[in-house]
Amino acid sequence: MRISGYGIVVLSVIVFYYLDRSVHARPVVLVLSNDDLNSGGDDPGVGDSSDFDEFGESEPKSEEELDPGSWRRMFEPDDDSTVEAASPQYFSGLHKILSAASEGNDRLMEEAVDEIEAASSSGDPHSQSLMGFVYGTGMMREKSKSKSFLHHNFAAEGGNMQSKMTLAFTYLRQDMHDKAVKLYAELAETAVNSFLISKDSPVVEPTRIHSGTEENKGALRKSRGEEDEDFQILEYQAQKGNAAAMYKIGLFYYFGLRGLRRDHTKALHWFSKAVEKGEPRSMELLGEIYARGAGVERNYTKALEWLTLAAKEGLYSAFNGIGYLYVKGYGVEKKNYTKVGLKTPRIYSAKEYFEKAVDNEDPSGHYNLGVLYLKGIGVKRDVRQATKYFFVAANAGQPKAFYQLAKMFHTGVGLKKNLEMATSFYKLVAERGPWSSLSRWALEAYLKGDVGKALILYSRMAEMGYEVAQSNAAWILDKYGERSMCMGVSGFCTDKESHERAHSLWWRASEQGNEHAALLIGDAYYYGRGTERDYVRAAEAYMHAKSQSNAQAMFNLGYMHEHGQGLPFDLHLAKRYYDQALQSDAAAKLPVTLALASLWLRRNYADTFLVRVVDSLPEVYPKVEAWIENVVFDEGNATILTLFVCLITILYLRERQRRQVVVPDPVGGDVAQPLDAEVAQHLAAFPR
């Protein structure tokens, strides 16, 4: 008997196919204890607000300035860009790589890699970064971790941020937190400098294009941007004067939501029209636009006016923007940290504005108050108080709070020094940097049916440590096969190269908490797909998924205990895992019931001809197995037949036992009696 490709038995595929199982990495939940706090660090001094929130006084930088070597001009060319272009050979080679991936042209890919290699040899850091990617994936060159690392190292020294992300993730996987934390700290600071100054954007995670083994049609439908039917209806409503629709469209364009590219000009247009209709939320966003100079000339006076109007309408998050302007002295007569103004009407201080937001459970208010206490700006420095505010904000998903906590863990100020925690928090922030645009372009390519280009883009992000990209790239390789346009050492990927690449990607995703990836890794080791068959490592992968309360993994472990594959033969442990699978998910009732029936048969008729026949069914009936694979399931096997035979056999045996256990009645007839104690004990161990 062998295990199904989707899980442990084919029947489990039927049931778990319909489960709404999470395939995301587990969310971070922070709990602060006194042991985490570091004593000392408070002083009565008053800090300088010039470095409040880590933002400088200069104009915001463009994405290409923050991310030299950005692929943006390949997808969003900007004729007005003043950023000095990288090597012409770099962009020429990059263009050919993307074109070759789209067209499935292996000769063009070879030409592209040759061109990039020549530019790399001349010292261009961005070309060196691409060669690191080439050697890391084994694309037109023999895969080499050492050469990949060397090229990324040179590229990072030359200022390529994507290579710095790759190196940081490499160090993280090797538990070299002392090196990883330095790179992630720099990357996180760059990311922070690209954030908004008052109203934080929604946390936009890269879209997961699959859900388990199937395409995530729901998420993809909501990511089609202007082509989405729902968006077109919303746009029609906005054109007819619906203020709420105007606000939503402006929001989509401003933050780049629902598959739309960021367009500050369109956002300004829709917010302006919405405020004409009295829409208060648009007032707050207009304040942000003018404060940041997003698509317009920066004007702090107008920013303060719009934020004040929004606050008067009851939008407490707008108080954060006002408080920020006061603490920096932007658009106001002078900086005002904590003292109440004497003018009429009453002027609040920055601290009071932040406190108003906190009173209404706004996470940014907690964050901003934390900064005041951390740096002693207008208040007595109180690092412990600051830490508590940051933890509240971080648990609400505030990215800048994660950045401050990372710095505290990194330096040991306020929190005990912990490089592992610092690295993890810096990574969360760094992954929101400008290089994350790769995810949007990858999704656009996938939605247009350009699977090859999507694979290249997701693979680039995968080496940078993005779990969703690792998962998406692996899924494309598994789902599309030859149509994925996967490029190997000598042209299109062989089956072996494709399996190995997918296995490596799933493994990295599983390390970052993706339970579906952990299941697939277990399957890969069980069947020897992309790696050597290894039941022990398969069991380890299933244990990893089981630790995340995954019912399928529990079922798999029960099966392996039942058959002694990679785990000790133990029917009691097998039953325990089967029961846990059912407790974890009620949809597992059918496979668990059949599995328990198999256990009953194995316990009561061990080492009999009947059990040997049942175990040999997949090999004895290959034609039946092939029929199940080709007709019933994409990756099925004869295990379903085995379990049904077990069930039918048990029903037959129990019926025979029931008929045999009889006693003569007083008048000469035979009356059926309960089973004897020994048989009853066996049945009680594995209930129906």
Side-chain angles (χ1 to χ4, degrees), residues 108 283 379 388 509 647 663:
L108 181 60
M283 298 175 185
V379 296
K388 292 175 182 178
L647 183 59
V663 297

Side-chain angles (χ1 to χ4, degrees), residues 111-157:
E111 180 183 333
V113 173
D114 287 342
E115 189 168 346
I116 289 294
E117 189 170 37
S120 172
S121 299
S122 66
D124 177 59
H126 311 308
S127 297
Q128 291 168 341
S129 179
L130 266 186
M131 284 307 298
F133 172 63
V134 165
Y135 280 114
T137 55
M139 187 173 68
M140 297 299 163
R141 295 291 186 273
E142 195 72 36
K143 186 174 181 179
S144 172
K145 290 183 179 180
S146 59
K147 289 183 179 180
S148 175
F149 179 84
L150 188 64
H151 280 85
H152 279 305
N153 192 60
F154 284 133
E157 290 179 357

Side-chain angles (χ1 to χ4, degrees), residues 66 82 225 574 629:
L66 293 170
T82 58
E629 286 186 2

Side-chain angles (χ1 to χ4, degrees), residues 2 35 47 78 124 126 136 172 216 249 262 267 289 367 419 436 445 485 490 502 506 533-534 554 572 601 634 664 682:
R2 69 182 178 87
D35 291 337
D78 183 2
D124 177 59
H126 311 308
L172 176 62
N216 192 357
I249 290 180
R262 286 187 179 182
I289 283 175
Y367 168 74
L419 295 186
S436 65
M485 304 301 175
S490 304
W506 284 126
R533 176 174 287 187
D534 189 329
M554 297 172 188
H572 289 286
L601 183 65
D634 292 335
H682 285 312

Side-chain angles (χ1 to χ4, degrees), residues 237-378:
Q237 293 173 337
Q239 291 170 347
K240 291 296 182 180
N242 186 306
M246 294 173 183
Y247 165 73
K248 287 183 179 179
I249 290 180
L251 200 68
F252 292 167
Y253 278 119
Y254 189 59
F255 292 125
L257 306 177
R258 299 292 291 269
L260 292 169
R261 290 186 177 180
R262 286 187 179 182
D263 191 323
H264 292 149
T265 301
K266 288 184 178 180
L268 177 64
H269 166 76
W270 285 112
F271 288 144
S272 299
K273 291 183 72 67
V275 297
E276 292 175 4
K277 300 283 186 179
E279 218 296 320
R281 293 171 296 180
S282 295
M283 298 175 185
E284 181 182 6
L285 269 300
L286 282 177
E288 169 63 41
I289 283 175
Y290 280 108
R292 194 163 185 248
V296 295
E297 184 178 351
R298 178 176 279 178
N299 188 321
Y300 290 119
T301 302
K302 284 188 175 182
L304 181 61
E305 291 174 358
W306 283 116
L307 289 170
T308 302
L309 286 173
K312 288 180 179 179
E313 293 292 333
L315 291 180
Y316 292 100
S317 56
F319 284 118
N320 290 297
I322 299 174
Y324 180 83
L325 295 178
Y326 270 101
V327 84
K328 296 290 288 186
Y330 293 160
V332 296
E333 292 183 4
K334 62 179 180 179
K335 297 179 182 180
N336 188 341
Y337 307 146
T338 57
K339 294 182 179 179
V340 177
L342 300 177
K343 295 182 180 180
T344 303
R346 184 172 186 262
I347 301 175
Y348 291 100
S349 66
K351 179 173 176 286
E352 287 177 302
Y353 280 118
F354 295 151
E355 286 173 339
K356 274 184 170 290
V358 166
D359 291 341
N360 289 275
E361 300 181 356
D362 186 86
S364 293
H366 286 90
Y367 168 74
N368 288 327
L369 273 180
V371 175
L372 289 183
Y373 281 106
L374 175 67
K375 301 189 175 182
I377 299 175

Side-chain angles (χ1 to χ4, degrees), residues 5-60:
Y6 282 112
I8 289 300
V9 295
V10 173
L11 194 55
S12 67
V13 178
I14 302 174
V15 177
F16 285 90
Y17 176 87
Y18 296 101
L19 297 183
D20 182 20
R21 293 182 292 143
S22 169
V23 292
H24 297 270
R26 296 294 176 178
V28 176
V29 178
L30 301 175
V31 179
L32 178 64
S33 69
N34 287 330
D35 291 337
D36 296 314
L37 295 172
N38 194 4
S39 59
D42 295 349
D43 60 61
V46 175
D48 181 3
S49 67
S50 63
D51 63 344
F52 181 88
D53 204 19
E54 317 305 324
F55 291 102
E57 304 290 336
S58 61
E59 293 296 313

Side-chain angles (χ1 to χ4, degrees), residues 171-234:
Y171 289 134
L172 176 62
R173 291 190 71 205
Q174 297 173 354
D175 293 328
M176 300 172 67
H177 297 108
D178 56 332
K179 292 187 176 181
V181 74
K182 293 178 181 178
L183 285 168
Y184 275 130
E186 178 186 348
L187 292 158
E189 184 175 355
T190 300
V192 167
N193 282 319
S194 70
F195 291 172
L196 308 183
I197 67 171
S198 59
K199 181 175 178 60
D200 290 302
S201 64
V203 178
V204 183
E205 298 289 346
T207 301
R208 199 177 298 274
I209 62 177
H210 70 101
S211 178
T213 58
E214 298 301 316
E215 188 176 70
N216 192 357
K217 296 184 183 298
L220 293 177
R221 183 182 62 80
K222 295 178 181 179
S223 303
R224 295 187 178 275
E226 295 175 344
E227 297 178 5
D228 179 48
E229 183 178 341
D230 290 342
F231 176 81
Q232 292 171 357
I233 293 173
L234 188 69

